Amino acid sequence: MDSPMCLVKNADGELCVEPEAIDYLKGLKQKVVVVAVVGLYRTGKSYLMNKLAQKRSGFALGATIQSKTKGIWMWCVPHPEKTDRTLMLLDTEGLGDVEKGDSKNDAWIFSLAILLSSTLVYNSQGTINNDAVEKLQYVNELTEMIKVKSSTDNEEEGEGTQFMQFFPNFVWTVRDFILQLEIDGREITPDQYLENSLQLKKGTGKKINDYNLPRECIRNFFPSRKCFVFPSPTTPDNMHRLDSMDEAELSESFREVADTFCRFIFQESRTKTVIGGHTLTGKMLGHLVTIYVESIAKGNVPCMENAVLAMAKTENQSAVDEGLAVYQKGMEDVKALFPVDINQLSENHLRSETQATEAFMKRSFKDENGEFLKALAEAISNHSADLFKQNKDASEKKCKALLENLSAPMDQGMKEGRYATPGGYELYCNHHDNIVAQYRAEPNKGVRAGEVLEQFLKGKSAESNSILHADKKLTENETKIQAEKMKTAELEQEKAAFEEQQAEMERTIENNRIRQEKYLKEMEEKMEEERKQQQQDFNRTLDRRMQEQKDLLEKSHKVKADLMRQEIEEIKKKNQLEREANAQNQKALQELFKQQAEGQNKQMEMLMGDLKNRSQAPVPIVERLVPQ
């Protein structure tokens, strides 16, 4: 992307997605690291985004008191350090714009920045004092603006546990910082400065509660916090031309902080994930943007769980389509060779089916009841059945054409009466046997070779008998012997055709067994992967909560620390219950799949048994009788 484009348009307080931006994201298949910047208008947010894009210009900076950015703008650039990722930068409309005068609209912009990003940069000026913290008022409203789960109690959400599990990392950038980083004469780091500014006051009462509320929200909602303090980049007289100034013209201390900030973002910002730890591609994020903005436009509170489920449904269907396309492409080469024998076709089928399943598994997520995996299996089964039929039809067509060509001279002889003479039957048999021998010697006839030959021999039976009984050279005994020989040949070919069908059925049963084992294994691996992702989310939340409890104890907030301890125990208990429920669901799904597989196997075995019974019919053995 050469320059930023508007992602979410804000027109007269109404939010809507820009179709052009969504179309761009639909084509972005790389996973994305999403960094969003929020903050008061005219505080230099756009400059930070341009710096991260490693461009001197891009996002509009503006040199007046008017806000230049409206809605949310995005800029997708190659990630400087992770070649398999795209860095997606989101520059948001300035909060607190006096020309807009709509705090509700600001809150939605802030909420969207949180929902879409993996790292949230809050940009402010001056210092982190009470006024600066209070201007981050939108944090206090998050429980009213965002729901994590559709069935979750609001009070529980207010504790921040679930928010912490899915919210982005938090980076506070302080611009034009002029103070000394010291506390009680001791030098401190910017991170310590931030944590000190977020300390809670002891006591109760409205004034203390109002002071503590935004600090508690920041501490509760965000899994990690980082701070950078930027000195002024240049003199006040030069600020209006900041976007056109060379790097060398900026103050050295400012450049050092800016470089450190960029390195941190590049190295530490995570790939965007959603509930369950699933990483998102640009296309998937495009789905999320649309779902969230449409929800807001309808007056609803965006729900992360519902949005992910809706996105998963769309993405899983795309995964089914992609898997089927992979299978179809994998079968193109063998299809061009039709007819082929059953082993060659089956090997190509299994290989292409494996590739299709891998493509599906790579893209799908939250296919909790295996609905879409089963849909892919059914789609492949239907397509493969059609291919197997096409292969049979091609074999039948080739075999019939071959026999028609080989038997043409004999048919012409019949018309000319060549066999209606004494000794004609022996001549007919020689020609007949020669046709069969040439036919059997012809390679690559496919799966219907035996059946077509069987039909050919049965078709010639009446003709053969007519010639046999008309041949006056043969005695009655010889006529009987020849008739039995012809019948035996037909029965032997019939048995060979049955054996051919039996081999095909056995191969089909083996294919089904391999497919069932493969799907069950893939399903188990996918479930295990999702379980690990969920556990990582839980561990990150638990570690942060325990660190918060430790901090509160060190600062003698014993009551809050006790509440935190109770919350940690509740988190552990809930996680254990969720793990047990997931394990039961997975076991039930696996049992259902096994039952379906067993039912299919029984049907195939019944068909196989019937085919064996037919193929084991006795073939009479006729010995050559020498006339006395």
Side-chain angles (χ1 to χ4, degrees):
M1 186 183 289
D2 296 330
S3 60
M5 64 170 59
C6 185
L7 175 62
V8 179
K9 185 178 180 181
N10 187 9
D12 300 323
E14 297 293 329
L15 302 180
C16 62
V17 295
E18 283 285 6
E20 183 182 356
I22 299 300
D23 288 342
Y24 178 86
L25 289 176
K26 284 180 180 178
L28 185 55
K29 296 183 179 180
Q30 268 197 332
K31 293 180 179 178
V32 289
V33 175
V34 188
V35 180
V37 61
V38 297
L40 299 181
Y41 78 110
R42 301 301 302 121
T43 54
K45 302 187 309 299
S46 298
Y47 178 85
L48 287 180
M49 292 290 101
N50 290 340
K51 185 71 176 174
L52 288 173
Q54 300 181 316
K55 303 288 185 180
R56 289 178 58 181
S57 62
F59 290 112
L61 301 187
T64 71
I65 61 171
Q66 289 184 307
S67 173
K68 289 292 182 181
T69 305
K70 297 296 181 183
I72 300 177
W73 285 65
M74 75 170 182
W75 197 356
C76 298
V77 297
H79 198 289
E81 298 190 7
K82 302 170 184 176
T83 56
D84 61 339
R85 297 288 187 269
T86 291
L87 179 61
M88 183 175 177
L89 304 172
L90 300 180
D91 190 13
T92 65
E93 180 174 333
L95 307 177
D97 187 350
V98 292
E99 294 182 1
K100 182 170 56 177
D102 185 357
S103 61
K104 188 73 170 178
N105 188 260
D106 281 347
W108 283 128
I109 294 288
F110 184 78
S111 298
L112 281 173
I114 288 175
L115 288 168
L116 300 177
S117 65
S118 48
T119 295
L120 181 73
V121 179
Y122 178 67
N123 195 61
S124 70
Q125 283 188 316
T127 61
I128 303 179
N129 53 25
N130 193 48
D131 181 59
V133 174
E134 287 182 347
K135 283 180 179 176
L136 196 51
Q137 58 181 308
Y138 312 101
V139 175
N140 306 347
E141 303 173 21
L142 286 177
T143 55
E144 299 174 10
M145 312 298 289
I146 299 173
K147 291 178 67 177
V148 174
K149 295 188 176 181
S150 57
S151 59
T152 303
D153 188 326
N154 281 338
E155 284 186 321
E156 189 178 357
E157 283 192 340
E159 293 296 322
T161 301
Q162 298 196 49
F163 282 173
M164 173 180 284
Q165 201 166 345
F166 308 114
F167 270 29
N169 293 333
F170 183 79
V171 177
W172 192 320
T173 54
V174 186
R175 311 294 290 276
D176 302 331
F177 186 77
I178 58 173
L179 302 179
Q180 294 294 318
L181 282 174
E182 291 183 355
I183 295 179
D184 299 329
R186 178 175 57 86
E187 186 175 344
I188 59 172
T189 66
D191 291 343
Q192 291 171 328
Y193 173 57
L194 172 60
E195 294 305 313
N196 184 70
S197 302
L198 297 179
Q199 281 192 29
L200 306 179
K201 284 186 177 180
K202 298 178 183 179
T204 57
K206 185 178 185 306
K207 189 173 182 179
I208 291 179
N209 288 340
D210 289 346
Y211 177 91
N212 285 342
L213 179 59
R215 290 165 173 80
E216 286 183 320
C217 288
I218 294 172
R219 298 172 73 96
N220 286 341
F221 293 161
F222 297 100
S224 70
R225 299 183 289 275
K226 185 73 178 174
C227 181
F228 293 90
V229 293
F230 289 77
S232 180
T234 184
T235 62
D237 293 341
N238 286 328
M239 288 298 293
H240 70 281
R241 64 183 191 92
L242 186 59
D243 58 339
S244 62
M245 293 177 67
D246 290 330
E247 285 288 309
E249 296 181 76
L250 303 178
S251 73
E252 184 179 355
S253 56
F254 176 85
R255 283 185 281 125
E256 287 178 356
V257 177
D259 289 343
T260 303
F261 166 77
C262 289
R263 281 197 304 272
F264 174 82
I265 295 296
F266 296 153
Q267 295 172 6
E268 301 300 328
S269 290
R270 305 190 311 268
T271 303
K272 174 61 181 174
T273 59
V274 292
I275 292 175
H278 305 284
T279 55
L280 300 189
T281 62
K283 181 178 180 180
M284 295 162 74
L285 191 72
H287 289 315
L288 272 190
V289 176
T290 303
I291 293 167
Y292 286 141
V293 174
E294 287 180 351
S295 179
I296 292 170
K298 293 176 182 176
N300 300 325
V301 176
C303 175
M304 297 173 73
E305 181 181 50
N306 289 347
V308 170
L309 289 174
M311 179 185 66
K313 186 174 182 180
T314 300
E315 193 64 17
N316 284 339
Q317 183 56 56
S318 296
V320 171
D321 296 339
E322 182 177 327
L324 180 59
V326 168
Y327 176 81
Q328 291 170 333
K329 184 177 181 181
M331 296 298 287
E332 284 177 0
D333 290 342
V334 71
K335 183 178 178 181
L337 300 175
F338 282 177
V340 296
D341 65 57
I342 188 65
N343 289 333
Q344 184 177 356
L345 184 57
S346 295
E347 287 170 6
N348 277 269
H349 163 71
L350 289 174
R351 181 171 61 251
S352 298
E353 186 178 38
T354 299
Q355 293 169 347
T357 307
E358 288 173 353
F360 171 85
M361 289 297 182
K362 185 177 180 181
R363 184 167 182 177
S364 71
F365 69 100
K366 290 191 78 66
D367 184 17
E368 294 175 348
N369 60 359
E371 172 188 354
F372 292 94
L373 180 60
K374 287 185 282 187
L376 174 63
E378 184 177 349
I380 289 177
S381 177
N382 291 337
H383 190 73
S384 66
D386 184 58
L387 288 177
F388 275 68
K389 182 180 183 303
Q390 289 182 41
N391 187 51
K392 284 185 176 181
D393 292 345
S395 175
E396 182 174 345
K397 183 178 180 181
K398 180 176 182 178
C399 291
K400 284 183 175 180
L402 176 60
L403 284 172
E404 184 177 346
N405 182 57
L406 292 174
S407 63
M410 190 169 71
D411 292 340
Q412 185 63 31
M414 284 292 298
K415 291 179 181 179
E416 295 172 354
R418 192 181 307 168
Y419 307 114
T421 60
Y425 180 74
E426 184 177 2
L427 179 63
Y428 179 88
C429 286
N430 289 337
H431 289 171
H432 181 279
D433 293 346
N434 189 45
I435 289 171
V436 173
Q438 289 182 69
Y439 175 83
R440 286 175 172 163
E442 183 73 19
N444 304 321
K445 294 188 294 295
V447 296
R448 293 287 299 243
E451 291 180 64
V452 171
L453 180 58
E454 177 194 356
Q455 293 169 5
F456 175 80
L457 294 179
K458 286 182 177 179
K460 293 294 183 183
S461 179
E463 181 180 274
S464 173
N465 283 330
S466 174
I467 296 171
L468 173 63
H469 290 94
D471 193 339
K472 301 188 181 300
K473 184 179 178 181
L474 296 174
T475 66
E476 182 179 346
N477 191 38
E478 288 175 327
T479 300
K480 184 177 179 182
I481 292 172
Q482 292 298 333
E484 289 296 336
K485 281 179 64 179
M486 185 64 70
K487 183 64 176 177
T488 299
E490 289 177 15
L491 290 173
E492 285 179 341
Q493 185 55 44
E494 183 178 353
K495 183 176 181 180
F498 278 129
E499 289 174 351
E500 190 175 75
Q501 294 175 22
Q502 180 178 337
E504 183 178 353
M505 182 70 76
E506 287 175 347
R507 188 66 185 181
T508 301
I509 291 173
E510 178 65 10
N511 286 348
N512 280 345
R513 185 190 64 78
I514 294 172
R515 178 180 60 82
Q516 290 159 4
E517 290 180 355
K518 175 170 62 67
Y519 275 131
L520 190 58
K521 181 182 178 183
E522 293 281 0
M523 188 183 297
E524 290 173 348
E525 289 177 351
K526 189 72 173 178
M527 288 176 174
E528 178 62 18
E529 178 188 347
E530 293 186 353
R531 187 197 66 76
K532 287 180 179 178
Q533 289 173 339
Q534 291 171 347
Q535 190 63 32
Q536 288 173 359
D537 283 342
F538 166 74
N539 290 341
R540 188 167 62 247
T541 301
L542 186 61
D543 290 345
R544 193 61 202 173
R545 275 296 190 228
M546 293 180 72
Q547 183 60 48
E548 289 290 341
Q549 182 193 27
K550 181 180 177 182
D551 293 344
L552 289 170
L553 285 171
E554 289 177 354
K555 295 176 175 61
S556 301
H557 289 282
K558 190 174 185 307
V559 174
K560 289 185 177 295
D562 286 343
L563 291 173
M564 184 71 70
R565 179 185 55 77
Q566 294 175 15
E567 184 180 343
I568 289 172
E569 292 303 317
E570 191 64 30
I571 292 172
K572 291 179 178 178
K573 186 185 297 183
K574 179 186 288 186
N575 179 67
Q576 183 61 33
L577 290 173
E578 287 181 352
R579 289 174 62 184
E580 290 174 356
N582 287 339
Q584 289 178 354
N585 290 339
Q586 291 173 6
K587 186 176 180 181
L589 181 59
Q590 290 167 355
E591 286 300 321
L592 176 62
F593 187 85
K594 288 178 180 178
Q595 289 173 9
Q596 291 175 339
E598 288 173 0
Q600 292 174 357
N601 289 339
K602 285 180 180 179
Q603 290 180 344
M604 295 297 291
E605 287 171 2
M606 289 174 63
L607 290 173
M608 188 69 182
D610 180 59
L611 192 60
K612 282 184 177 180
N613 291 336
R614 293 169 61 195
S615 66
Q616 289 173 356
V619 178
I621 305 299
V622 180
E623 297 179 359
R624 180 175 296 276
L625 300 179
V626 180
Q628 299 295 323

